[in-house]
Amino acid sequence: MSGSRRPRWSRRRFLSTAAAAPAFAALPRTASATQAPPAAGPAVQDPAPEAVQARIAARLHVMRVALGQQPADLTIEGGTLLDTITGELLPGWGVAIAGDRIAAVGDVGRHAGPATQRIDATGQILAPGFVDAHYHCESSRLSARRHAEVTLPQGLTAYFEGTHEIANAARGLPGVEYFVEAGRRLPQKIYPCVSSATPPSPVETTSGHIGYAEAARAFQRWPEAARGIDEVMDLPRVLDGSARLHGVIQAALDDRRVVAGHGSPPLDALDGWIAAGVMSSHSPRIGEALTMLRKGVHLQLKTERTGDLIRQLLDLPLRDWRSVGLAVDDRTAAELLDRGGIDHEVRAAIALGVPAVIAWQMATINNAAHWQVSHLHGVLAPGRYADVLLVSDLQRVAIQRVIASGQVVAERGRLTVPLDAGPVDPSLRHSVRLSRALRASDFEILAPPGRREVRAYVLPPRYFSRELGPITRTLPVRDGRVQRDLSRGITKYAIVERYGRGMGIGVSFWELGFDTGAIAWTVNHDHHNLGVLGATDEDMAVAANRCAEIEGGYVIVSGGTVLAELPLPIAGLMSDDDPTRVADGIRTLDRIAGQLHPAAALAGHPTDQLTFMNLTCDPWKYSLTDLGLFDLERQQRLPAVF
Amino acid sequence: MSGSRRPRWSRRRFLSTAAAAPAFAALPRTASATQAPPAAGPAVQDPAPEAVQARIAARLHVMRVALGQQPADLTIEGGTLLDTITGELLPGWGVAIAGDRIAAVGDVGRHAGPATQRIDATGQILAPGFVDAHYHCESSRLSARRHAEVTLPQGLTAYFEGTHEIANAARGLPGVEYFVEAGRRLPQKIYPCVSSATPPSPVETTSGHIGYAEAARAFQRWPEAARGIDEVMDLPRVLDGSARLHGVIQAALDDRRVVAGHGSPPLDALDGWIAAGVMSSHSPRIGEALTMLRKGVHLQLKTERTGDLIRQLLDLPLRDWRSVGLAVDDRTAAELLDRGGIDHEVRAAIALGVPAVIAWQMATINNAAHWQVSHLHGVLAPGRYADVLLVSDLQRVAIQRVIASGQVVAERGRLTVPLDAGPVDPSLRHSVRLSRALRASDFEILAPPGRREVRAYVLPPRYFSRELGPITRTLPVRDGRVQRDLSRGITKYAIVERYGRGMGIGVSFWELGFDTGAIAWTVNHDHHNLGVLGATDEDMAVAANRCAEIEGGYVIVSGGTVLAELPLPIAGLMSDDDPTRVADGIRTLDRIAGQLHPAAALAGHPTDQLTFMNLTCDPWKYSLTDLGLFDLERQQRLPAVF
């Protein structure tokens, strides 16, 4: 028999008989069978639903390219492959691509057919595209498409999007859906994590509500995209067993998804926080980070101020940093263009002493494995998304070319293809819904009758800390109204509910400088209500109303005149305008705001910093929301003055 | 306000106001509010289904123990903790346990209340329980409960069970369910992976069928237990796009589960195999293993014959073996008791030069992370199962005490508690269903009329190889029947379909010695049909019928008399008898079988080795099944003689 004369196994022989599986229902026993074997029948069919069949067909196509039965669409040859699993640099290893996936790695010459696009990578290193473990596209102020234009050339081919910004501003799941839809169309893969912070806490109003039912529904609707929840940060509600928050956590755990965390709980609450289900933190306090790591928390470092931690990690007995990744978290378009994105984080980690290969692992496989997508991302291997960076210098993260989903999308830092994320859903527009125009009198704080002065809560410039001294001050009263003390830098500010749910306004004092003009803004973590501060109630009203008129964004006013503005009409958070124009707008805002004499604490990027000052999560101790000023530890509302 | 007078954040203060979340629907604006803040209302409720509430409550209980609000059930103090994340040994770190979970690690003295059980671990190392990445309980010949009696004292607190043995023998999903149910009751966690090999190939009959629909149903029914599919091994069916096999793979991928593989495909098919979705191999060929690792395949090593590979891995640039785990795969009760289980593998890895901490990682966190359960297993950290090994010597894997699911289950190698896995489902009994008793004539092989001799396929003693020379031989004919040639060690054997699906019998010749007597067995990877070999057709019939009578297992016969037998009445694979008795039975079988003059290739454990000789997967080239003798590459049936 020929079978016994061909001693070498051959793939082709397997395949030539592909259809030759015999029917196996009623074969006669072979005991006396000397006759020729029966003709082969068709393989037993096992029909799956049509959508499933389509996914199988797509997978089999990649397999067949890998087997050399069909040519690759693209090969990248002649370079050296960075293997993020073994930590090796493998000279001569290339990548063969079928559609949006990697079919084969290694010596891939045989996969090139006459129509195959071939990229010569001589002198280059092939590395997997970056995966950011924790990211808010919204913080760039750019739409998903515009953001991709900036960050794809930086090598960011996938990110885990923390959707609570848009979920709070755009009615919950419809906000999440924005990123699902954009991710489906862009070569940049977006994994929108379901917001655990909608609302962020019970003491503020947002436009959406995500509890157990909504989270479970999201996982069912977007099983591939919504890989988990992001980012559990209302520490008191974790610890007190909040029904809403623990419902969302349970929905994620029940569906075997990842529960991302935030910050560092106090050490005596750390084990409880982990036991509650939290698996990661992208913002651990440095002094506590190693303890968190030891206790199984995946760390996603933002490299700024992590030097001490990195030195600790370098002293660990193994060079096994699997549980340490990198994340950008929040970065404006201006900063992305000036400093870079995750490429900058890798560079910074290397500058802090992390060996280059480990730094690359931190921004690729470590993040991918944590999010349970190492079969799709983080390593150049078959079946993964064809996200390949051609790098001329690993140490400097010098990215010469970016291939995303099998397509060359950028060369030397410049986008080379137009991107399409589909139309922006009109329902994401007009998100600033005030039931009437604001008046100067809306910002008045009345004093008890007959008082010449009052005690008032005055937030210090940077007040997000568990450790805070007394914050009450004496303020003068005029005509029954409590006055600013601009000479001491005490101005007034307000948070105005902007989702058409009653227009609650919280007003308080803030020692933030600004002895002239007013600023209004709708990027206001994490409720994203309308913030407005100002030296006069009149300018506050003008700024706030103009901000509503442009559908959100930033407006700076002085003496009734608009000095600068940046419209962010998508949910009041993002612009679909050209990124360089948006970045210029951000820089202008900062420059003009700087002329209004902000407190020193705001130096640098004053308008961006304003957006992070009204959080209600740990470690904030006080916060003003649309419902008033709160003692967050006690979850009690405080009188503005007394 | 007192809030500003207490500068230190305190967990207790958070918690004392647990119920104080204000209703946030219609608060008046605070602008003029100098009155006292409103009384706090109840937290917004977000009711989840009752079963979900129960899971939340269980999780919150662990959290509350971690927070020190309720006492732990058990603390282990005074030892040194092996941190499998950082690779550190942390002196003074203990573990506090609530129910079946770890609540806290570190300085856990504060978690002990008056009723807390306290274990003094002075001089001991606390390590996480072992997690086997690929295991077949059935190969022990023991029921899940009896198997746990043997392996819990060895530190095996969780395993990923490859269910194709029982799925093939017990009608598909009901077989899988056996392990789901046992795992629910035992302190040993069992993760039954859905069989991808039911049937193993189209050329054999088994009692079940698992395709897309069945796999999808299994994942829906057992979302926590069935973490993926196991073990894709029908290489030709992977490569030819088999509807059944790819349906099962797709069901796993669609539900974000793990696709475990087997063996090493030829290198020119490796990328196709990975691109098809396969994520791991527990049995890579040593020469190919490093290539597989580089291409993103998780390796689960069985340490025998891995010395060369381990030396290669030790030469890699990082000490990051995250993608390399350990597995036992198959081991009889006798071997488990004689050599050990996964504890032996860790010991062997260390003996081969793997640093002890890495070897421990390989058998804990590496396997857990691959199976996406690092939040439940593999590290001593909050929220994980309370599976703790007290070890007096890490290097020697000297396990003094085993805590599983929070319960001390073994001390110094001995089980200390009775185990209950619930009753064995009666439908798993009586799995050997022959429609009639076998007769000697069933094993006859007829010659073409008038022939004095014929050419016959004669399988060599160990024939599972892609590279095999000619295997036909000339055999004599007497009375029209083809004869054995016992002088040359050529005996006869048969595979009898035992699931009541038609009693197909395949009969062929095998150069396996045995010049006297007969052996019948139902542990027959992976179809587990009834195998029978013998020097006479009469003894073959006696052995086979007796084997059916005892509901499966092993029977050795000579001259019509039963010399030894081992009943395995659970699915014809397992016994619920005392493990030492089963182990003795296995040793007796091997001793008696050895007296029947088996070929040298079977030396050692002849009856166990018989069970692995009739596989139809790669790298087998020929195999006898109930449907006849097959050329597996061509998937064509061969005539027994010609």
Side-chain angles (χ1 to χ4, degrees):
Chain A
M1 284 295 292
S2 62
S4 54
R5 285 190 210 113
R6 294 194 198 167
R8 289 204 55 79
W9 183 94
S10 141
R11 181 174 40 77
R12 273 160 303 282
R13 280 162 62 207
F14 264 137
L15 298 165
S16 63
T17 58
F24 64 98
L27 284 186
R29 43 184 281 215
T30 55
S32 58
T34 58
Q35 71 279 29
V44 174
Q45 285 307 309
D46 224 296
E50 218 166 286
V52 179
Q53 299 282 17
R55 289 195 290 275
I56 293 174
R59 187 161 46 77
L60 292 182
H61 172 66
V62 181
M63 179 187 81
R64 288 179 180 132
V65 172
L67 293 172
Q69 295 168 358
Q70 295 176 21
D73 296 312
L74 172 64
T75 60
I76 309 169
E77 299 166 73
T80 293
L81 187 142
L82 168 63
D83 193 306
T84 50
I85 302 291
T86 62
E88 296 168 293
L89 285 164
L90 301 170
W93 278 49
V95 172
I97 293 169
D100 64 354
R101 300 297 181 112
I102 295 173
V105 296
D107 178 9
V108 297
R110 68 171 176 135
H111 296 287
T116 301
Q117 181 189 356
R118 302 180 78 150
I119 293 179
D120 177 9
T122 304
Q124 307 273 307
I125 291 161
L126 283 61
F130 293 128
V131 179
D132 195 311
H134 178 72
Y135 198 70
H136 302 283
C137 170
E138 299 93 319
S139 290
S140 70
R141 320 281 190 256
L142 299 171
S143 64
R145 168 175 78 110
R146 292 302 199 174
H147 169 265
E149 290 179 5
V150 175
T151 54
L152 270 176
Q154 297 169 344
L156 183 70
T157 50
Y159 61 90
F160 286 82
E161 158 67 31
T163 60
H164 60 227
E165 325 301 353
I166 196 165
N168 286 331
R171 294 161 292 120
L173 295 191
V176 180
E177 187 167 25
Y178 168 73
F179 283 107
V180 175
E181 290 301 324
R184 278 190 185 142
R185 290 173 171 86
L186 291 170
Q188 188 175 56
K189 271 67 65 183
I190 305 175
Y191 292 95
C193 308
V194 175
S195 166
S196 74
T198 298
S201 77
V203 301
E204 60 209 290
T205 310
T206 72
S207 78
H209 175 91
I210 295 180
Y212 173 82
E214 290 79 10
R217 194 180 324 137
F219 294 141
Q220 202 167 31
R221 277 185 67 189
W222 308 307
E224 280 296 306
R227 292 269 164 178
I229 62 168
D230 208 88
E231 51 187 303
V232 174
M233 57 181 183
D234 188 6
L235 180 64
R237 239 60 50 208
V238 173
L239 302 185
D240 74 10
S242 149
R244 187 198 66 79
L245 182 52
H246 280 282
V248 174
I249 292 173
Q250 197 62 43
L253 294 175
D254 284 354
D255 211 24
R256 297 162 293 110
R257 293 172 193 268
V258 174
V259 176
H262 159 101
S264 297
L267 278 182
D268 72 344
L270 174 60
D271 291 79
W273 183 79
I274 303 170
V278 181
M279 301 177 191
S280 70
S281 177
H282 57 271
S283 47
R285 261 192 302 281
I286 296 314
E288 291 155 30
L290 180 58
T291 304
M292 296 174 76
L293 184 68
R294 286 168 168 163
K295 296 189 176 193
V297 178
H298 196 270
L299 305 181
Q300 294 140 10
L301 305 184
K302 304 189 272 188
T303 53
E304 235 177 349
R305 292 188 290 271
T306 54
D308 289 347
L309 172 59
I310 282 174
R311 273 183 289 280
Q312 281 184 311
L313 296 176
L314 287 169
D315 280 344
L316 289 177
L318 303 175
R319 292 179 83 178
D320 168 352
W321 288 43
R322 74 181 87 180
S323 292
V324 187
L326 289 172
V328 166
D329 199 357
D330 300 283
R331 194 161 296 174
T332 66
E335 287 177 288
L336 285 171
L337 289 168
D338 293 346
R339 276 204 283 162
I342 192 151
D343 57 324
H344 169 80
E345 297 304 304
V346 177
R347 228 173 273 126
I350 294 170
L352 288 168
V354 179
V357 169
I358 292 180
W360 277 82
Q361 284 184 314
M362 291 169 79
T364 55
I365 189 67
N366 296 9
N367 288 344
H370 171 68
W371 281 102
Q372 306 182 345
V373 291
S374 58
H375 61 300
L376 298 174
H377 297 284
V379 50
L380 295 177
R384 277 69 174 177
Y385 279 106
D387 297 341
V388 188
L389 311 184
L390 298 192
V391 182
S392 55
D393 185 329
L394 219 51
Q395 204 82 20
R396 293 168 191 272
V397 194
I399 300 171
Q400 300 305 323
R401 210 182 298 211
V402 178
I403 289 105
S405 294
Q407 189 185 6
V408 179
V409 295
E411 301 197 29
R412 278 176 226 84
R414 296 190 157 274
L415 199 74
T416 53
V417 292
L419 298 181
D420 175 18
V424 175
D425 188 323
S427 76
L428 298 177
R429 301 287 299 257
H430 312 296
S431 69
V432 187
R433 297 172 192 216
L434 307 183
S435 51
R436 61 163 171 79
L438 286 156
R439 296 184 283 257
S441 60
D442 289 322
F443 304 107
E444 287 176 352
I445 297 182
L446 299 182
R451 296 274 292 275
R452 303 287 300 276
E453 54 181 36
V454 294
R455 291 296 285 178
Y457 284 98
V458 177
L459 291 172
R462 295 181 81 85
Y463 59 90
F464 23 104
S465 165
R466 289 178 200 140
E467 335 262 301
L468 211 59
I471 64 162
T472 57
R473 298 297 213 32
T474 298
L475 289 179
V477 174
R478 199 177 310 144
D479 298 332
R481 289 157 181 86
V482 187
Q483 302 297 304
R484 297 169 179 81
D485 185 348
L486 294 175
S487 67
R488 290 193 289 167
I490 298 176
T491 189
K492 214 193 274 178
Y493 83 122
I495 304 291
V496 183
E497 193 276 311
R498 70 157 163 118
Y499 301 117
R501 298 180 65 178
M503 201 157 95
I505 305 179
V507 188
S508 189
F509 293 99
W510 198 354
E511 192 180 345
L512 204 62
F514 291 111
D515 60 9
T516 176
I519 306 179
W521 66 100
T522 55
V523 180
N524 218 351
H525 294 275
D526 288 314
H527 50 65
H528 299 296
N529 280 309
L530 175 64
V532 52
L533 67 79
T536 71
D537 295 349
E538 289 71 20
D539 274 355
M540 285 175 75
V542 171
N545 289 328
R546 175 65 187 161
C547 195
E549 208 166 54
I550 63 171
E551 301 185 39
Y554 291 81
V555 175
I556 304 178
V557 163
S558 188
T561 306
V562 173
L563 303 183
E565 65 183 27
L566 177 68
L568 300 173
I570 303 176
L573 301 174
M574 295 176 284
S575 165
D576 202 35
D577 200 356
D578 180 86
T580 56
R581 258 203 303 275
V582 175
D584 283 344
I586 293 168
R587 292 187 197 103
T588 302
L589 287 173
D590 280 339
R591 187 169 48 78
I592 303 287
Q595 294 167 1
L596 305 184
H597 313 129
L602 282 188
H605 303 287
T607 54
D608 187 36
Q609 291 192 44
L610 280 178
T611 67
F612 292 104
M613 288 193 163
N614 296 299
L615 284 153
T616 53
C617 64
D618 177 68
W620 271 253
K621 184 169 177 163
Y622 298 104
S623 199
L624 180 69
T625 78
D626 60 305
L627 302 178
L629 182 67
F630 282 85
D631 175 330
L632 296 170
E633 281 179 26
R634 301 178 168 274
Q635 292 283 307
Q636 280 183 337
R637 197 146 65 86
L638 304 173
V641 297
F642 55 96
Chain B
M1 286 294 292
S2 62
S4 53
R5 285 190 210 112
R6 295 194 198 164
R8 289 205 56 79
W9 183 95
S10 143
R11 179 174 41 78
R12 275 161 302 280
R13 280 163 61 206
F14 263 139
L15 297 166
S16 62
T17 58
F24 66 97
L27 284 186
R29 43 183 281 219
T30 56
S32 57
T34 57
Q35 71 277 28
V44 173
Q45 284 307 310
D46 224 296
E50 219 166 284
V52 178
Q53 299 283 15
R55 288 195 289 275
I56 292 175
R59 186 161 48 77
L60 291 182
H61 172 66
V62 180
M63 179 188 80
R64 287 178 181 133
V65 172
L67 293 173
Q69 296 168 356
Q70 295 176 21
D73 296 313
L74 172 65
T75 60
I76 310 169
E77 299 167 72
T80 293
L81 187 141
L82 168 63
D83 193 306
T84 50
I85 302 290
T86 63
E88 295 168 294
L89 285 164
L90 300 170
W93 278 49
V95 172
I97 292 170
D100 65 353
R101 300 298 181 111
I102 295 173
V105 296
D107 178 9
V108 296
R110 68 171 176 135
H111 296 286
T116 300
Q117 181 189 356
R118 301 179 77 148
I119 293 179
D120 178 8
T122 304
Q124 308 273 306
I125 291 160
L126 283 63
F130 293 129
V131 179
D132 194 311
H134 178 72
Y135 198 68
H136 302 283
C137 170
E138 300 93 318
S139 290
S140 70
R141 321 281 190 255
L142 298 171
S143 64
R145 168 175 77 111
R146 293 302 199 172
H147 169 265
E149 290 179 7
V150 174
T151 54
L152 270 176
Q154 297 169 344
L156 183 71
T157 50
Y159 62 90
F160 286 81
E161 158 68 30
T163 59
H164 60 228
E165 327 299 354
I166 197 166
N168 286 331
R171 294 160 292 121
L173 295 190
V176 180
E177 186 166 26
Y178 168 74
F179 283 107
V180 175
E181 291 301 325
R184 278 191 184 140
R185 290 172 170 88
L186 291 171
Q188 188 174 55
K189 270 66 67 185
I190 306 176
Y191 292 95
C193 309
V194 175
S195 167
S196 74
T198 299
S201 78
V203 300
E204 60 208 292
T205 310
T206 72
S207 78
H209 176 92
I210 295 179
Y212 173 82
E214 291 78 12
R217 195 180 325 138
F219 294 140
Q220 202 167 32
R221 277 186 67 189
W222 308 306
E224 280 298 305
R227 291 270 165 178
I229 63 168
D230 208 87
E231 50 185 305
V232 174
M233 58 181 180
D234 189 5
L235 180 63
R237 239 61 49 206
V238 173
L239 302 185
D240 75 11
S242 148
R244 187 198 67 78
L245 182 52
H246 280 282
V248 174
I249 292 173
Q250 197 62 44
L253 293 175
D254 283 355
D255 211 23
R256 297 164 292 110
R257 293 173 193 268
V258 174
V259 175
H262 159 102
S264 296
L267 279 181
D268 72 344
L270 174 60
D271 292 79
W273 183 80
I274 302 170
V278 181
M279 301 177 190
S280 71
S281 177
H282 55 273
S283 47
R285 260 192 303 281
I286 296 314
E288 291 155 29
L290 180 58
T291 304
M292 295 173 76
L293 184 68
R294 286 168 169 165
K295 294 187 177 193
V297 178
H298 196 270
L299 304 181
Q300 296 140 9
L301 304 185
K302 305 190 272 188
T303 53
E304 237 177 348
R305 293 188 288 272
T306 54
D308 289 346
L309 172 60
I310 282 174
R311 274 182 289 279
Q312 281 184 312
L313 297 177
L314 287 169
D315 281 344
L316 289 177
L318 303 175
R319 293 180 82 179
D320 168 352
W321 288 44
R322 74 181 88 181
S323 292
V324 187
L326 289 172
V328 166
D329 198 356
D330 300 282
R331 194 160 295 174
T332 67
E335 289 176 287
L336 284 171
L337 289 168
D338 293 347
R339 276 203 283 161
I342 193 152
D343 58 324
H344 169 81
E345 296 304 304
V346 177
R347 229 173 272 126
I350 294 169
L352 287 168
V354 179
V357 169
I358 292 179
W360 277 82
Q361 284 183 316
M362 292 168 77
T364 55
I365 189 67
N366 296 9
N367 289 343
H370 172 68
W371 281 103
Q372 305 182 345
V373 291
S374 58
H375 60 301
L376 299 174
H377 296 283
V379 50
L380 295 177
R384 277 68 174 178
Y385 280 105
D387 297 340
V388 188
L389 311 184
L390 298 192
V391 181
S392 57
D393 185 331
L394 219 52
Q395 204 83 21
R396 293 168 192 272
V397 193
I399 300 170
Q400 300 304 323
R401 211 181 297 211
V402 178
I403 290 103
S405 293
Q407 188 186 9
V408 178
V409 295
E411 300 197 28
R412 278 176 226 82
R414 296 188 157 276
L415 198 75
T416 54
V417 292
L419 299 181
D420 175 20
V424 174
D425 188 322
S427 76
L428 298 178
R429 300 287 299 257
H430 314 295
S431 70
V432 187
R433 299 172 189 215
L434 306 183
S435 52
R436 63 164 169 78
L438 287 155
R439 296 183 284 257
S441 61
D442 289 322
F443 304 110
E444 287 175 351
I445 297 182
L446 299 182
R451 297 274 291 275
R452 302 284 302 274
E453 54 180 36
V454 295
R455 291 296 285 179
Y457 285 99
V458 178
L459 292 171
R462 294 182 80 88
Y463 59 92
F464 24 103
S465 165
R466 289 177 200 139
E467 335 263 300
L468 210 58
I471 64 161
T472 57
R473 297 297 214 29
T474 298
L475 290 178
V477 175
R478 200 177 308 145
D479 299 333
R481 287 159 182 85
V482 186
Q483 302 296 305
R484 298 168 177 83
D485 185 348
L486 295 174
S487 68
R488 290 194 286 166
I490 298 175
T491 190
K492 212 193 275 177
Y493 83 121
I495 304 292
V496 184
E497 193 278 310
R498 69 156 164 117
Y499 302 116
R501 298 180 67 179
M503 201 157 94
I505 306 179
V507 188
S508 191
F509 293 99
W510 198 354
E511 192 179 345
L512 204 62
F514 291 111
D515 62 9
T516 177
I519 306 179
W521 66 99
T522 55
V523 179
N524 218 351
H525 295 275
D526 287 313
H527 50 66
H528 300 296
N529 280 309
L530 175 64
V532 52
L533 68 77
T536 71
D537 295 349
E538 290 71 18
D539 274 357
M540 284 175 76
V542 171
N545 289 328
R546 176 62 188 162
C547 196
E549 207 168 55
I550 63 173
E551 301 184 40
Y554 291 81
V555 175
I556 303 178
V557 162
S558 189
T561 305
V562 172
L563 303 183
E565 65 182 29
L566 177 69
L568 301 172
I570 303 176
L573 300 174
M574 295 176 282
S575 166
D576 203 34
D577 200 356
D578 181 86
T580 56
R581 260 204 302 278
V582 175
D584 282 346
I586 293 168
R587 293 187 197 103
T588 302
L589 288 173
D590 279 340
R591 188 170 48 77
I592 303 288
Q595 293 167 1
L596 305 184
H597 312 129
L602 282 186
H605 304 287
T607 53
D608 186 36
Q609 291 193 42
L610 281 177
T611 67
F612 292 104
M613 289 192 162
N614 296 300
L615 284 152
T616 54
C617 64
D618 178 68
W620 271 251
K621 183 170 177 162
Y622 298 103
S623 200
L624 180 70
T625 79
D626 60 305
L627 303 177
L629 183 68
F630 282 85
D631 175 330
L632 296 169
E633 281 179 24
R634 301 175 169 276
Q635 293 281 308
Q636 279 183 337
R637 195 145 67 86
L638 303 172
V641 297
F642 55 95

